[in-house]
Amino acid sequence: MNHLPRRPVSSIAIAGLVSLAALAALWLWVQWCRFPWSAWNDIRLAPSFMLAAGEPVYSAPGPGVVSTWMYGPVPVWLLLPAAWMPDIVSASLTAGGLNIGIQLLAILFACARWPAGGLSASSRATAVCLVVAAWPEAAWRFIQADNFAVALGLLSSTLLLRKGCSPAMAWLAAAAAAAAVGCKQTSLGIPLAQVVWLASTRGRIDALEHAMRLAGCGALLGLATLTFFDPAGLWDTLVRLPGQIPFTDEIGRRLADLAPLLLIHLALPPAVFLMLRRQPDPGGARRLGLLLWLFGAPLGLLSLIKAGGTLNSLQGFQLALPVLALGLCSALSSLPRAITLAPLVIGALFLVRLQATGVPMKPRSGHLTEGVALVRANPGQLWLPWNPLVSYYGEGRFYHAEDGFYARLLAGRALSRDQIKVHLPPSFTAIAEPVGLNGWGISENLLERPFVEHVSGAWRLRVAVPEAPPPPSS
């Protein structure tokens, strides 16, 4: 008899979950459709194509193609399937699927396996939807080294929490944590948080064993990296160049501009952890989430206040988000009204974010096909400083990316014109950029002649005015 009144509630809960799953799928579909339009994705995908084509990804200053990539090799390897695609549109959509899919799999795995006091499957599914809704939009829409570092950090930490973790799983957890650092140098907080957590919950011996596994996996990853890439180029690109980029001159303004989002990243996690302090914490699992957030903050903040830095460097919020979502769902599961309230709140969050971004239902990739056609119609003449892959599919060559010049200017290491010309079109007379893109203003100076500007489809062209012929001799 007592079971009968619960059926309507169960039906409402199922309906709410189905609605949330549909909204989550729509949200991710929209981000996948928006992915090809961003020139940032083109320039950050180019290193995988360069690797597949046998071109140096990390080159010493001067002779190589200048790219925007100053991060570890793991994302370059993970995005390699995009380089096997026969055309620019399928390559971009494949990269977008990998970028979204790898993060989503990590979220699903963490929410399904993270210890959380006997949560039901429906509560865990609700937590997944909450994480997807609250996940930074830029992580879905742009290729960022941080995306893959966070995904690997979640995988590693979830494996580490398993009771009776087998030696194979322990090594896999260490390998994933080492790979996270191999995505971006500032991800060092992930393995450090794990070692500290092990020392505080399972003892020094377990912490030492994990540290040794991390060192072994890091050494193997380093060996593989040195095998695939030029050591001098690696040192220059991964260590010297980032180290020479200065801090922004307006740190206060940067922090003020980002203040609302900084509050979410830096104040929300500790507030929720504090609120959940009386909830059961099996095996100290929630403590690991807190440490991942805490150890991710210092290096993330240092990156944020560098010239060009922004919120993607604050990995701690994303690393803690599944833990926070599971804790909130666990706390709400004892409240009768939470069965309907939680899906309504999460659904509202999805709707607000969808309304703010628009809802394209088809991939925004038409400009890529137009760009390839432009390159083929002007072989050896047209430089696309923000779309090196369009050039590659158009004429099979890699040219410089303007954002790479900007990074080197910030570091006080501007290249000479002779060095730059080596990897520009041999008969360089025109520049093409997507309409609406505002670059750094460097590429126009390289034309070295007055230019005229016009729009062709989705592209803005700057074409150098032909030099006047010399006057006839008398």
Side-chain angles (χ1 to χ4, degrees):
M1 293 294 292
N2 292 336
H3 181 66
L4 292 175
R6 298 184 183 181
R7 286 183 180 176
V9 175
S10 179
S11 299
I12 292 172
I14 291 172
L17 275 177
V18 171
S19 300
L20 285 183
L23 284 171
L26 176 61
W27 174 245
L28 296 178
W29 176 264
V30 165
Q31 302 311 318
W32 184 69
C33 289
R34 298 176 72 196
F35 182 90
W37 177 251
S38 172
W40 286 105
N41 292 327
D42 194 304
I43 59 175
R44 288 173 178 169
L45 183 56
S48 296
F49 280 74
M50 294 168 69
L51 177 61
E55 293 282 338
V57 175
Y58 303 99
S59 56
V65 176
V66 173
S67 80
T68 190
W69 196 257
M70 296 185 295
Y71 315 109
V74 174
V76 177
W77 289 325
L78 290 174
L79 291 169
L80 268 176
W84 307 332
M85 296 297 107
D87 59 79
I88 181 68
V89 172
S90 58
S92 182
L93 293 176
T94 298
L98 288 168
N99 181 60
I100 292 171
I102 289 171
Q103 295 179 84
L104 182 60
L105 286 174
I107 291 169
L108 289 169
F109 183 68
C111 288
R113 297 295 182 182
W114 200 281
L119 271 182
S120 66
S122 62
S123 293
R124 288 185 181 272
T126 302
V128 170
C129 294
L130 176 56
V131 173
V132 172
W135 204 254
E137 180 194 347
W140 300 124
R141 191 154 56 97
F142 302 119
I143 293 173
Q144 300 171 150
D146 307 86
N147 301 346
F148 304 100
V150 167
L152 288 163
L154 285 177
L155 170 65
S156 171
S157 300
T158 307
L159 288 172
L160 201 63
L161 284 166
R162 295 184 63 177
K163 288 184 178 179
C165 184
S166 68
M169 288 297 102
W171 276 102
L172 183 57
V181 181
C183 291
K184 190 173 183 182
Q185 302 90 314
T186 54
S187 303
L188 191 61
I190 293 171
L192 289 177
Q194 292 177 351
V195 171
V196 170
W197 176 78
L198 282 169
S200 65
T201 57
R202 299 183 186 174
R204 295 181 180 178
I205 293 178
D206 281 5
L208 180 60
E209 288 178 348
H210 187 60
M212 292 176 67
R213 284 190 292 265
L214 287 166
C217 292
L220 287 174
L221 178 59
L223 182 62
T225 302
L226 292 172
T227 301
F228 276 92
F229 306 104
D230 170 52
L234 283 165
W235 176 258
D236 188 74
T237 308
L238 297 182
V239 181
R240 289 187 61 206
L241 179 59
Q244 291 171 338
I245 293 177
F247 293 105
T248 178
D249 293 331
E250 299 178 315
I251 292 177
R253 182 176 179 180
R254 170 76 54 80
L255 296 177
D257 289 344
L258 296 174
L261 292 173
L262 275 174
L263 280 174
I264 294 174
H265 281 260
L266 298 179
L268 183 62
V272 177
F273 278 122
L274 185 63
M275 185 177 70
L276 297 174
R277 67 189 185 280
R278 294 183 180 178
Q279 292 290 321
D281 185 19
R286 195 178 305 128
R287 187 188 307 174
L288 177 55
L290 176 61
L291 288 171
L292 287 168
W293 170 81
L294 187 63
F295 277 78
L299 289 176
L301 282 171
L302 283 175
S303 294
L304 182 142
I305 60 176
K306 283 253 186 175
T310 189
L311 285 166
N312 61 284
S313 298
L314 295 177
Q315 300 174 4
F317 173 72
Q318 290 161 270
L319 289 165
L321 195 50
V323 192
L324 297 175
L326 289 167
L328 286 172
C329 288
S330 178
L332 292 173
S333 62
S334 60
L335 303 176
R337 293 186 179 180
I339 258 179
T340 54
L341 181 60
L344 285 175
V345 172
I346 299 169
L349 179 56
F350 273 125
L351 291 173
V352 167
R353 303 194 79 180
L354 284 165
Q355 189 274 332
T357 61
V359 188
M361 296 307 293
K362 293 183 179 180
R364 299 184 64 189
S365 58
H367 70 294
L368 298 176
T369 305
E370 289 180 13
V372 171
L374 278 172
V375 171
R376 290 174 178 170
N378 301 275
Q381 302 175 59
L382 189 59
W383 178 37
L384 285 71
W386 285 88
N387 295 84
L389 293 185
V390 175
S391 294
Y392 178 71
Y393 274 99
E395 55 185 347
R397 298 183 63 177
F398 292 102
Y399 298 129
H400 296 305
E402 183 178 83
D403 190 59
F405 290 148
Y406 181 64
R408 285 154 181 80
L409 279 173
L410 289 175
R413 298 174 54 181
L415 276 68
S416 70
R417 287 185 180 269
D418 289 339
Q419 289 174 324
I420 291 172
K421 287 180 179 179
V422 174
H423 294 289
L424 289 182
S427 303
F428 171 48
T429 55
I431 294 167
E433 296 174 346
V435 170
L437 184 144
N438 295 314
W440 301 119
I442 299 170
S443 54
E444 295 91 333
N445 294 328
L446 296 174
L447 276 171
E448 298 182 336
R449 298 209 302 267
F451 57 84
V452 293
E453 184 174 317
H454 66 275
V455 172
S456 175
W459 294 88
R460 181 180 59 186
L461 300 174
R462 295 182 175 93
V463 183
V465 176
E467 292 182 349
S473 56
S474 56

